[in-house]
Amino acid sequence: MGRKSSVITLTAEDRDYLETQTRARTIQAQTVNRARILLLKADGCSIDEIADKIGINRKSVMLCLKKYAEGGVENALFDAPGRGRNAEITDEEKTWIINIACQKPKDFGYSAETWTYARLTSHINKNAEAAGFIRLSTIHKSTVHTILDEADIKLFRIRYYCENRDPDFDGKMHNVLLVYKQLSMQFDENGQFIPWQEGGEIVHVLSYDEKPGIQAIATTSEDLLPNENHTTISRDYEYKRQLL
């Protein structure tokens, strides 16, 4: 009985990515062949069958599968930089990716406040060729993640800050704290209300967090985008409130 051919397991995302590579017209033929090798192997084809279908030798098939086993899809598709060979992704291309990641998705017509790696990768794939970076039109999400990680860019992290712009802030803060203090003094250690003394001054204290009909609709200042000193989006948590 013949030996059963081994199979590699591809995620749905990796399979979609490889199928996109096989349809691309702006990448090298060897990259297309390598994508086909992985897809055929995932379907259970033997090395000899893959070599016959693609029209290459067994050694090329085995080398591609070996690179996949060592480093995944990207490692199998693209050659690492070596002597006399330009880097697969240049510093200029990395800078272009980082520049997009440091802007808000809404600046590019999306509704989201922050990027996800999938959305950012999709945007890069669609716009890379027009920007003159053909290689990035097929870049994988894991590579985008690696590039941003090396630059210490975290897409999901938002750091909040509060800038004091109200000259009367200290006085208002004192009054608010005084109200809460007056209210807390009317209860004993067991949480029981302490009645006012007969003949003494009666004080009514009303405490509330929000007025009916008022809603926070926006921050009072623009978000601070990442720069060389801060790698996360900073957002003020003072809000502008308007009547509904």
Side-chain angles (χ1 to χ4, degrees):
M1 187 173 179
R3 182 181 177 184
K4 186 177 180 181
S5 176
S6 60
V7 179
I8 62 175
T9 302
L10 297 173
T11 65
E13 182 181 356
D14 283 341
R15 181 175 284 276
D16 290 343
Y17 174 63
L18 290 170
E19 290 175 350
T20 300
Q21 296 283 345
T22 62
R23 296 190 296 267
R25 299 181 180 180
T26 57
I27 62 175
Q28 297 179 353
Q30 68 175 11
T31 303
V32 175
N33 287 341
R34 291 170 183 176
R36 292 183 63 196
I37 289 172
L38 297 180
L39 288 170
L40 289 170
K41 193 60 179 173
D43 291 337
C45 294
S46 67
I47 291 176
D48 288 332
E49 289 174 331
I50 295 173
D52 289 339
K53 288 184 178 182
I54 299 179
I56 57 178
N57 57 52
R58 294 181 80 258
K59 184 178 179 181
S60 296
V61 176
M62 294 172 64
L63 178 60
C64 178
L65 295 175
K66 179 176 181 292
K67 291 177 65 178
Y68 172 79
E70 293 174 346
V73 171
E74 285 282 300
N75 191 56
L77 294 186
F78 305 106
D79 294 324
R83 182 177 300 176
R85 183 186 298 163
N86 291 329
E88 195 65 43
I89 299 179
T90 65
D91 290 340
E92 185 179 5
E93 290 169 332
K94 291 181 180 179
T95 301
W96 184 70
I97 292 174
I98 292 171
N99 179 55
I100 294 175
C102 289
Q103 300 180 60
K104 291 184 178 181
K106 67 179 184 180
D107 295 336
F108 297 94
Y110 303 108
S111 59
E113 279 289 311
T114 57
W115 291 107
T116 63
Y117 287 105
R119 170 63 69 183
L120 177 60
T121 303
S122 175
H123 177 82
I124 291 170
N125 292 157
K126 292 177 181 177
N127 295 277
E129 188 171 355
F133 304 116
I134 295 178
R135 160 67 182 90
L136 300 184
S137 62
T138 57
I139 193 172
H140 193 264
K141 183 176 74 171
S142 61
T143 305
V144 173
H145 188 287
T146 299
I147 291 172
L148 297 182
D149 195 51
E150 290 174 351
D152 199 23
I153 300 295
K154 310 299 181 184
L155 295 181
F156 304 104
R157 292 187 181 177
I158 298 178
R159 183 170 58 84
Y160 288 84
Y161 73 97
C162 180
E163 181 180 349
N164 184 6
R165 291 180 296 276
D166 187 347
D168 301 323
F169 177 79
D170 290 338
K172 293 177 181 178
M173 178 182 65
H174 172 76
N175 291 335
V176 170
L177 294 177
L178 180 61
V179 168
Y180 277 94
K181 183 63 176 177
Q182 289 174 331
L183 182 61
S184 65
M185 289 174 63
Q186 302 309 309
F187 295 87
D188 61 21
E189 295 179 354
N190 298 320
Q192 299 297 318
F193 180 73
I194 303 174
W196 298 101
Q197 292 182 359
E198 233 180 274
E201 182 181 0
I202 298 178
V203 178
H204 297 279
V205 180
L206 176 64
S207 176
Y208 54 86
D209 291 324
E210 293 287 347
K211 293 180 180 178
I214 292 183
Q215 182 182 16
I217 62 169
T219 54
T220 57
S221 63
E222 292 294 325
D223 292 348
L224 300 180
L225 297 179
N227 55 37
E228 64 275 8
N229 297 320
H230 302 285
T231 56
T232 57
I233 297 175
S234 297
R235 178 171 295 172
D236 196 323
Y237 58 79
E238 281 190 15
Y239 291 102
K240 178 169 54 181
R241 302 175 186 274
Q242 293 186 357
L243 290 174
L244 293 176

